[in-house]
Amino acid sequence: MDIRIDDLQGAAIAALLQVHLDSMHQHSPPESVHALDLDALRHPSITFWTAWEGEVLLGCGALKTHSATHAELKSMRTAAGHERKGVARALLRHMETAARAKGVQHISLETGTNAPFFPAHRLYESEGFVECGPFAEYQIDPWSRFMTKALV
């Protein structure tokens, strides 16, 4: 698996992110969807990675920098047909390594609370993420689960 920083220009990543956005809107009310579109993911505070096997896109993930010591996990998605192959875990560990190298001390995330998000909950819990309250500009929302992990 080749994990690399992506410029968000390719058709494959545009398609995967559209699937991601569509899924978020399918499983959460509009006001509780915090997924970012292509333009928002191009913000300078965000580093975006993709995982590939040859020319096949396996998944993606991003880190949004909130401060020198705090980053947020965004846009984690495994491409259809590649679930349960370790793609998300490999991306997560790769991003954690990159964050540590930049001096980030903790990574937080917001995810959904209902059944379609349970696999993500299990992944994050197995990688040491724990419950936390809302952070950055998030508010308490019954559709949002907040988690964080100390990197130090």
Side-chain angles (χ1 to χ4, degrees):
M1 182 182 319
D2 176 32
I3 299 174
R4 58 184 180 244
I5 293 177
D6 196 289
D7 64 6
L8 294 156
Q9 299 297 319
I13 193 56
L16 181 60
L17 286 170
Q18 190 59 56
V19 166
H20 182 63
L21 285 170
D22 292 347
S23 177
M24 297 304 101
H25 284 279
Q26 177 184 357
H27 300 296
S28 300
E31 66 276 8
S32 297
V33 173
H34 303 288
L36 302 176
D37 64 16
L38 274 171
D39 287 336
L41 286 166
R42 290 185 179 115
H43 192 274
S45 67
I46 296 175
T47 304
F48 189 86
W49 286 270
T50 47
W52 299 83
E53 190 70 47
E55 298 297 315
V56 177
L57 177 61
L58 305 176
C60 63
L63 276 179
K64 178 178 182 178
T65 301
H66 288 290
S67 72
T69 59
H70 183 215
E72 177 183 0
L73 191 64
K74 299 292 292 181
S75 301
M76 286 287 292
R77 188 70 183 199
T78 300
H82 300 286
E83 300 92 342
R84 290 172 292 287
K85 294 181 180 178
V87 175
R89 189 175 307 278
L91 276 160
L92 179 58
R93 288 178 178 176
H94 184 90
M95 290 187 289
E96 283 184 17
T97 298
R100 278 188 183 94
K102 293 170 81 174
V104 171
Q105 296 177 7
H106 64 280
I107 295 175
S108 301
L109 63 92
E110 180 276 339
T111 190
T113 56
N114 52 351
F117 298 95
F118 292 174
H121 297 175
R122 287 190 296 274
L123 169 68
Y124 300 134
E125 289 166 350
S126 74
E127 289 293 322
F129 283 81
V130 296
E131 294 280 337
C132 69
F135 58 92
E137 297 172 4
Y138 291 107
Q139 302 294 318
I140 293 174
D141 179 344
W143 293 90
S144 289
R145 182 178 184 191
F146 303 100
M147 303 180 83
T148 195
K149 179 178 180 177
L151 300 181
V152 292

